[in-house]
Short mmCIF file of all heavy atoms in Angstrom, two decimals:
data_model
loop_
_atom_site.label_atom_id
_atom_site.label_comp_id
_atom_site.label_asym_id
_atom_site.label_seq_id
_atom_site.Cartn_x
_atom_site.Cartn_y
_atom_site.Cartn_z
N GLN I 500 -15.77 -8.60 -13.90
CA GLN I 500 -14.82 -7.68 -13.26
C GLN I 500 -13.61 -7.37 -14.15
O GLN I 500 -13.18 -6.22 -14.25
CB GLN I 500 -14.35 -8.26 -11.92
CG GLN I 500 -13.38 -7.37 -11.17
CD GLN I 500 -13.27 -7.71 -9.70
OE1 GLN I 500 -14.27 -7.83 -9.02
NE2 GLN I 500 -12.06 -7.85 -9.20
N ALA I 521 -7.02 -3.72 -0.90
CA ALA I 521 -7.47 -5.03 -0.42
C ALA I 521 -8.55 -5.62 -1.33
O ALA I 521 -9.10 -4.94 -2.18
CB ALA I 521 -8.02 -4.89 1.01
N GLY I 522 -8.82 -6.91 -1.09
CA GLY I 522 -9.87 -7.57 -1.85
C GLY I 522 -9.30 -8.28 -3.07
O GLY I 522 -8.12 -8.61 -3.13
N SER I 523 -10.18 -8.53 -4.04
CA SER I 523 -9.72 -9.22 -5.24
C SER I 523 -9.04 -8.27 -6.21
O SER I 523 -8.28 -8.70 -7.09
CB SER I 523 -10.90 -9.90 -5.94
OG SER I 523 -11.83 -8.93 -6.39
N LEU I 524 -9.30 -6.98 -6.07
CA LEU I 524 -8.76 -6.03 -7.05
C LEU I 524 -7.23 -5.95 -7.08
O LEU I 524 -6.64 -5.84 -8.15
CB LEU I 524 -9.37 -4.63 -6.83
CG LEU I 524 -10.81 -4.52 -7.33
CD1 LEU I 524 -11.50 -3.29 -6.74
CD2 LEU I 524 -10.85 -4.46 -8.85
N SER I 547 -2.34 -4.52 3.34
CA SER I 547 -3.58 -4.75 2.60
C SER I 547 -4.78 -4.38 3.47
O SER I 547 -5.65 -5.21 3.76
CB SER I 547 -3.67 -6.21 2.14
OG SER I 547 -4.80 -6.38 1.30
N CYS I 548 -4.80 -3.14 3.85
CA CYS I 548 -5.78 -2.70 4.84
C CYS I 548 -7.05 -2.17 4.19
O CYS I 548 -7.03 -1.14 3.51
CB CYS I 548 -5.14 -1.61 5.70
SG CYS I 548 -6.20 -1.14 7.06
N MET I 549 -8.14 -2.91 4.40
CA MET I 549 -9.43 -2.44 3.87
C MET I 549 -9.71 -1.07 4.47
O MET I 549 -9.55 -0.86 5.67
CB MET I 549 -10.54 -3.41 4.26
CG MET I 549 -10.44 -4.75 3.59
SD MET I 549 -11.57 -5.95 4.32
CE MET I 549 -13.13 -5.42 3.63
N GLY I 573 -13.52 -2.41 -3.59
CA GLY I 573 -14.62 -3.37 -3.53
C GLY I 573 -15.70 -2.85 -2.57
O GLY I 573 -15.46 -1.93 -1.78
N ASP I 574 -16.87 -3.46 -2.65
CA ASP I 574 -17.97 -3.03 -1.77
C ASP I 574 -17.61 -3.24 -0.30
O ASP I 574 -17.94 -2.43 0.56
CB ASP I 574 -19.28 -3.74 -2.13
CG ASP I 574 -19.13 -5.25 -2.25
OD1 ASP I 574 -18.08 -5.72 -2.74
OD2 ASP I 574 -20.07 -5.97 -1.86
N GLY I 575 -16.88 -4.33 -0.01
CA GLY I 575 -16.51 -4.61 1.38
C GLY I 575 -15.60 -3.54 1.94
O GLY I 575 -15.82 -3.02 3.04
N SER I 576 -14.59 -3.17 1.19
CA SER I 576 -13.66 -2.13 1.64
C SER I 576 -14.36 -0.79 1.74
O SER I 576 -14.11 -0.01 2.66
CB SER I 576 -12.48 -1.99 0.67
OG SER I 576 -11.49 -2.92 0.99
N MET I 579 -16.27 -0.67 4.84
CA MET I 579 -15.46 -0.64 6.06
C MET I 579 -15.06 0.78 6.43
O MET I 579 -15.12 1.17 7.59
CB MET I 579 -14.21 -1.51 5.92
CG MET I 579 -13.54 -1.70 7.26
SD MET I 579 -12.35 -3.00 7.29
CE MET I 579 -13.32 -4.48 7.33
N ASN I 601 -19.66 -6.57 -5.84
CA ASN I 601 -20.07 -7.96 -6.11
C ASN I 601 -20.85 -8.51 -4.92
O ASN I 601 -21.00 -9.72 -4.77
CB ASN I 601 -18.86 -8.85 -6.44
CG ASN I 601 -17.81 -8.80 -5.35
OD1 ASN I 601 -18.07 -8.31 -4.25
ND2 ASN I 601 -16.62 -9.29 -5.63
N GLY I 603 -20.24 -8.81 -1.66
CA GLY I 603 -19.60 -9.78 -0.78
C GLY I 603 -18.11 -9.59 -0.64
O GLY I 603 -17.51 -8.77 -1.35
N TYR I 604 -17.56 -10.34 0.28
CA TYR I 604 -16.11 -10.40 0.45
C TYR I 604 -15.60 -11.43 -0.54
O TYR I 604 -15.28 -12.58 -0.19
CB TYR I 604 -15.76 -10.80 1.89
CG TYR I 604 -16.25 -9.85 2.96
CD1 TYR I 604 -16.84 -10.32 4.15
CD2 TYR I 604 -16.09 -8.48 2.82
CE1 TYR I 604 -17.26 -9.45 5.14
CE2 TYR I 604 -16.51 -7.59 3.81
CZ TYR I 604 -17.09 -8.08 4.96
OH TYR I 604 -17.50 -7.22 5.94
N GLY I 605 -15.58 -11.03 -1.81
CA GLY I 605 -15.38 -11.97 -2.92
C GLY I 605 -14.11 -12.79 -2.82
O GLY I 605 -14.13 -14.01 -3.00
N CYS I 606 -12.97 -12.13 -2.56
CA CYS I 606 -11.70 -12.88 -2.61
C CYS I 606 -11.62 -13.86 -1.45
O CYS I 606 -11.01 -14.93 -1.58
CB CYS I 606 -10.51 -11.94 -2.60
SG CYS I 606 -10.32 -11.01 -1.09
N ILE I 607 -12.24 -13.54 -0.33
CA ILE I 607 -12.19 -14.46 0.81
C ILE I 607 -13.14 -15.64 0.55
O ILE I 607 -12.85 -16.77 0.90
CB ILE I 607 -12.54 -13.74 2.13
CG1 ILE I 607 -11.70 -12.46 2.28
CG2 ILE I 607 -12.35 -14.67 3.33
CD1 ILE I 607 -10.20 -12.67 2.39
C1 TPP V 60 -9.06 -4.09 7.81
C2 TPP V 60 -9.14 -5.42 7.14
N1 TPP V 60 -9.97 -6.36 7.63
C3 TPP V 60 -10.04 -7.58 7.04
C4 TPP V 60 -9.28 -7.88 5.96
C5 TPP V 60 -9.39 -9.26 5.33
N2 TPP V 60 -9.99 -9.12 4.00
C6 TPP V 60 -9.23 -9.01 2.90
S1 TPP V 60 -10.07 -8.80 1.51
C7 TPP V 60 -11.54 -8.91 2.33
C8 TPP V 60 -12.84 -8.77 1.59
C9 TPP V 60 -12.84 -7.61 0.62
O1 TPP V 60 -14.12 -7.48 0.07
P1 TPP V 60 -14.35 -6.43 -1.07
O2 TPP V 60 -13.73 -5.13 -0.72
O3 TPP V 60 -15.79 -6.40 -1.40
O4 TPP V 60 -13.50 -6.99 -2.28
P2 TPP V 60 -13.76 -8.31 -3.19
O5 TPP V 60 -12.84 -9.35 -2.68
O6 TPP V 60 -15.18 -8.66 -3.10
O7 TPP V 60 -13.34 -7.87 -4.55
C10 TPP V 60 -11.34 -9.11 3.70
C11 TPP V 60 -12.40 -9.23 4.70
C12 TPP V 60 -8.41 -6.85 5.48
N3 TPP V 60 -7.61 -7.03 4.45
N4 TPP V 60 -8.39 -5.63 6.08
#
Side-chain angles (χ1 to χ4, degrees):
Q500 181 161 310
S523 64
L524 285 163
S547 187
C548 186
M549 292 169 76
D574 50 323
S576 275
M579 192 166 284
N601 55 14
Y604 299 137
C606 66
I607 309 297

